[in-house]
Amino acid sequence: MRPTILAVVIVAAVGVAGALAFGALANEREYERLIAAGDASVAAERTFQAIEAYSGAIARKPDSMLAHFKRGSVYQSQNELEAALRDFRTAASLDTSSLRAMEALGDVNVALGRNERAIERYETFTSLDEGNAKVLYKLGLARYRARRVNEATVVLKQALAIDPGMGEAHYVLGLVQRDLDQRPAARKSLEEAARRSPASQTSPREALADLYLQDGDYSKAINQLEMLAALEPARADRAIAVGLAQSRAGRGEGAVITLGRAVERFPEAPQVYAALGHVWLTEAEHKGDRVALNKALEALQHAAGRADATSETYAELGRAWMLAGDRHAAERALRQAVAKLPLMPEAYLRLAEITARDGRIQDARDALLKYATLIGDEKPMATVATQIADYSVRLGEPALAVRWFDRAIDEAGPSTALQVKLADAALRAGEVARAQQVIEEGLSSEPGNRQLEQLKRRLPR
């Protein structure tokens, strides 16, 4: 009996093993079929079917790095970035040496604005393969976006050493050098980027034109802007950029011709009329030309008559009315300017000028305070701070004046005129110790100054 039982057990075991092997083989074949079906769907741009097929493959083989990676790639192509991130993470955990999974994780994190995480993934990639120019470029771009500009320079130069023809690397390197104020190097990099990049990639030319404008190299800037306008003739802003650059270069007639043609091509675009008005207004201010001023008013009123008129348009119209001597119309336009978002801060400066001329010191001071709040530390504020302080003294608020005279001195440096005003305001505010300190500092730099000596005599004994 025992030999018979043993034989039965062996036969059963062999049968089970065979069944398992057959099942595994069938599962593997189905997995491969689903992967192939997914690939075919991707090639035919049937993304839903591709995701279904790859999901089926994952159900058959959950530890398949390939299936997760392929499904993640489809999600990425459809901008379903969180889903792509999950699949790429799984793929990377299943195969920690997969360079393409690391690169894909970096790419998705960049798309999600998570630059520091992208940097980590790209750095892991480059630690394993330091000869991949494309990933070195991506690392440089991510570092630049994370404001790690010095570190970005290193890897971008490494990428270009491997592939000197990579236009996008020249472009980002140029941006980095621009931000580091390495202007000659930035120009060289951006010029190389513009030369090597396809015509459809306009960003290098835009950055290069902006750099030329900042450097006052108007001829080269206009050349780049004209190329951009020729590449994208349906965009009104391209023609506007050319016209405004011509105006900055002192080519007023050329600017008028350029923007006049733009008005004919884009009659429904208020920004074209606004730009033409700006050019005519510039000509009127420089030459005292009443005809140019009338043309400026005509163009700016046309632009301001649109519901989508900008704060800048109203501010320009206010400036034109000021030049024309119509303060009521100017104030009306400037109040419309400060009611529009995004707001042009300079409108408050002009509003302050008009209200001060009419003797409305409170309104003028309030307008300057709003301007200062909007500007913060972006621009020099010594002149505005002094005006705010002067108006505050006149309004009987010397303590506020002290604060703004202090800011004016911090920015412009000490001067006797400002020290006299500050000491006087401090005395009015009852800040005797502060007044005494300012008077002593002023007299140490200009002994015997009559105004400071008079203020010193006002100090309590």
Side-chain angles (χ1 to χ4, degrees), residues 119-455:
I119 289 168
E120 293 174 9
R121 297 297 184 173
Y122 292 141
E123 285 177 342
T124 302
F125 184 110
T126 56
S127 69
L128 298 172
D129 180 3
E130 59 184 15
N132 190 307
K134 182 179 70 170
V135 175
L136 285 166
Y137 156 72
K138 290 180 178 181
L139 174 57
L141 177 60
R143 285 177 175 175
Y144 172 69
R145 288 176 172 170
R147 300 186 180 180
R148 292 162 59 174
V149 288
N150 287 310
E151 296 173 44
T153 303
V154 176
V155 289
L156 289 167
K157 288 183 175 178
Q158 289 175 350
L160 288 169
I162 297 166
D163 183 1
M166 189 182 293
E168 57 266 43
H170 285 289
Y171 169 57
V172 178
L173 180 59
L175 298 181
V176 169
Q177 291 164 331
R178 179 200 63 188
D179 291 356
L180 292 171
D181 205 27
Q182 300 169 356
R183 304 187 76 82
R187 283 176 67 145
K188 184 177 179 181
S189 294
L190 291 172
E191 285 167 352
E192 191 66 16
R195 187 176 72 83
R196 292 184 178 277
S197 300
S200 59
Q201 189 176 349
T202 58
S203 297
R205 294 192 185 282
E206 290 175 346
L208 187 56
D210 185 59
L211 196 61
Y212 286 148
L213 286 171
Q214 291 176 28
D215 290 345
D217 198 341
Y218 295 115
S219 293
K220 288 186 176 179
I222 291 168
N223 286 340
Q224 293 297 325
L225 293 170
E226 286 177 338
M227 289 182 197
L228 289 167
L231 288 169
E232 298 179 307
R235 285 182 54 175
D237 61 315
R238 294 299 191 200
I240 290 171
V242 174
L244 294 179
Q246 289 171 324
S247 178
R248 287 179 64 179
R251 305 178 191 176
E253 290 185 9
V256 168
I257 292 171
T258 297
L259 293 170
R261 290 172 179 167
V263 165
E264 293 174 0
R265 291 171 52 209
F266 306 103
E268 299 303 317
Q271 65 269 31
V272 180
Y273 290 93
L276 181 58
H278 170 82
V279 171
W280 279 121
L281 183 56
T282 302
E283 291 292 295
E285 288 177 325
H286 289 171
K287 299 177 181 178
D289 187 338
R290 187 73 193 191
V291 173
L293 178 57
N294 289 336
K295 289 182 178 294
L297 284 167
E298 181 184 354
L300 290 168
Q301 286 181 94
H302 184 94
R306 294 285 298 268
D308 54 352
T310 65
S311 173
E312 184 175 3
T313 296
Y314 284 116
E316 291 272 86
L317 180 58
R319 185 159 64 101
W321 281 123
M322 286 174 69
L323 190 61
D326 190 335
R327 292 212 299 268
H328 294 296
E331 182 173 351
R332 186 167 57 250
L334 290 169
R335 292 204 179 277
Q336 288 175 300
V338 298
K340 277 274 186 177
L341 294 176
L343 190 152
M344 186 183 183
E346 285 72 15
Y348 277 118
L349 288 181
R350 294 173 190 141
L351 192 56
E353 181 182 349
I354 288 175
T355 51
R357 285 182 187 179
D358 284 348
R360 289 176 281 153
I361 303 304
Q362 179 80 55
D363 289 344
R365 199 272 308 270
D366 290 349
L368 291 177
L369 285 170
K370 289 175 181 176
Y371 172 79
T373 300
L374 288 169
I375 293 300
D377 296 324
E378 292 180 12
K379 295 181 180 180
M381 283 289 295
T383 301
V384 171
T386 302
Q387 288 179 316
I388 292 172
D390 284 338
Y391 291 154
S392 296
V393 170
R394 292 174 63 179
L395 290 167
E397 300 178 34
L400 183 61
V402 168
R403 196 177 87 199
W404 285 98
F405 280 134
D406 270 330
R407 178 165 178 179
I409 290 173
D410 286 343
E411 290 201 13
S415 69
T416 303
L418 282 175
Q419 287 170 323
V420 167
K421 289 184 174 187
L422 174 56
D424 178 65
L427 279 171
R428 291 170 185 264
E431 300 178 23
V432 177
R434 180 77 178 104
Q436 183 173 4
Q437 176 193 3
V438 174
I439 291 168
E440 289 174 357
E441 289 173 353
L443 288 172
S444 68
S445 60
E446 192 177 328
N449 180 276
R450 185 172 59 84
Q451 291 175 298
L452 289 171
E453 290 288 358
Q454 289 175 346
L455 288 169

